[in-house]
Amino acid sequence: MTEDPFVVHRSLLFTVAYEMLGSSADAEDVLQESWLRWADVDRAQVRDPRAYLVRTVTRQALNRLRTLSRSREEYVGEWLPEPLLTSPDVAEDIELAENVSIAMLTVLETLGPTERAVFVLREVFEVPYGEIAEAVGKSAAAVRQIARRAREHVAARRPRVPVSRSEQQAVVERFLAALRTGRLQELLDVMAPDVVLIADGGGLADAARAPIHGAALVASMLALPGRAVSAVWLNGAPAGRIEIDGRVAAVSLVVEDGKVTRIHAIANPRKLTRLDEPAELAR
């Protein structure tokens, strides 16, 4: 059983589905559906099991993404991706870490389902255009055009200046230290003047239902005592876990020029089920 191609490539298949859906629960459902289809396949007719399985997962993820579109439009407040606990080793693959980051997954939410699938398969997993065409039901020429548009769309919305892992970690540590003390000035010092806080409570936890703009306002909301703050690795990057009165939130940060420019805070308890055991991600 351990030699079955589905088992061998499971981490890759999960990563494909998660990148497309931004939800580990939905990604696991897609893998279950794909496994049932794989179980009925005549393996002797499959020349490249890895490519075949990636296509299968992509099709199932596309179906799920189209189904989810309406429910996400009706979501209470801001919708953010489901954070994954990861080991620091994930950050060693810089491209993988960047593409599974909360910031990138949030950008991918602004793409249409087919654009998202094409971008993920081409830019993250370097799947040939012909194979992508089979997976999404388009011609190779159409896929090339979709990929170009998706790249331009993402490039216009991703963080402007990439930072090193060491700089990211240093700024995150300063931010978490300021949260622990609850001191207003320490928070102001580590945030950019135009910082944006986006919170996701899903109607199940206290959270702002619209983005909060500006360091003064964001700092005043965060400068509260009585929090247990710990450093964790989420989605391949240093991040924070906050507990207050028995409630948990995951905090992911975007850092530019030595300052925090965007804060993603996920408090929806349904999205915090993957914070105890590191997820297995692979390209």
Side-chain angles (χ1 to χ4, degrees), residues 80-142:
L80 289 174
E82 183 177 342
L84 296 178
L85 184 69
T86 54
S87 69
D89 293 343
V90 173
E92 298 296 335
D93 185 337
I94 296 174
E95 288 189 16
L96 176 62
E98 179 181 350
N99 283 294
V100 299
S101 69
I102 296 294
M104 176 60 82
L105 292 173
T106 302
V107 172
L108 294 184
E109 278 294 307
T110 64
L111 292 170
T114 301
E115 286 181 315
R116 184 166 184 168
V118 170
F119 181 88
V120 167
L121 293 178
R122 183 61 188 171
E123 299 302 312
V124 183
F125 298 99
E126 300 178 345
V127 176
Y129 287 112
E131 291 184 21
I132 299 174
E134 288 186 50
V136 302
K138 302 282 186 180
S139 68

Side-chain angles (χ1 to χ4, degrees), residues 24-255:
S24 67
D26 289 316
E28 292 289 359
D29 287 344
V30 162
L31 259 62
Q32 180 65 24
E33 293 163 2
S34 300
W35 165 252
L36 293 175
R37 282 163 174 73
W38 174 246
D40 291 334
V41 169
D42 180 359
R43 313 294 170 82
Q45 302 300 312
V46 179
R47 290 183 301 170
D48 185 344
R50 181 183 184 277
Y52 184 94
L53 288 167
V54 168
R55 288 198 300 271
T56 301
V57 166
T58 298
R59 292 183 187 122
Q60 296 306 312
L62 267 174
N63 292 338
R64 178 61 62 96
L65 193 56
R66 289 164 179 150
T67 301
L68 290 172
S69 295
R70 180 172 298 176
S71 63
R72 290 186 182 176
E73 289 174 0
E74 298 168 353
Y75 193 78
V76 178
E78 295 290 316
W79 189 95
L80 289 174
E82 183 177 342
L84 296 178
L85 184 69
T86 54
S87 69
D89 293 343
V90 173
E92 298 296 335
D93 185 337
I94 296 174
E95 288 189 16
L96 176 62
E98 179 181 350
N99 283 294
V100 299
S101 69
I102 296 294
M104 176 60 82
L105 292 173
T106 302
V107 172
L108 294 184
E109 278 294 307
T110 64
L111 292 170
T114 301
E115 286 181 315
R116 184 166 184 168
V118 170
F119 181 88
V120 167
L121 293 178
R122 183 61 188 171
E123 299 302 312
V124 183
F125 298 99
E126 300 178 345
V127 176
Y129 287 112
E131 291 184 21
I132 299 174
E134 288 186 50
V136 302
K138 302 282 186 180
S139 68
V143 164
R144 288 179 182 275
Q145 291 299 316
I146 293 170
R148 179 184 57 78
R149 291 197 302 270
R151 279 195 300 272
E152 292 173 352
H153 180 98
V154 170
R157 291 162 177 80
R158 74 198 320 173
R160 295 182 297 275
V161 182
V163 299
S164 67
R165 174 177 166 180
S166 59
E167 180 183 355
Q168 173 87 12
Q169 193 160 4
V171 174
V172 170
E173 288 174 355
R174 285 181 58 207
F175 179 84
L176 296 179
L179 279 185
R180 289 189 192 97
T181 65
R183 293 174 183 166
L184 186 66
Q185 189 58 51
E186 290 181 9
L187 282 166
L188 288 170
D189 289 344
V190 76
M191 294 189 298
D194 58 351
V195 65
V196 179
L197 167 64
I198 301 173
D200 178 347
L204 301 174
D206 291 337
R209 295 192 178 184
I212 306 299
H213 296 262
L217 188 54
V218 171
S220 67
M221 293 184 65
L222 296 179
L224 299 173
R227 292 175 172 174
V229 180
S230 56
V232 293
W233 285 81
L234 299 178
N235 295 63
R241 174 183 174 129
I242 301 171
E243 295 186 41
I244 182 168
D245 296 331
R247 296 167 306 198
V248 177
V251 177
S252 174
L253 307 174
V254 175
V255 174

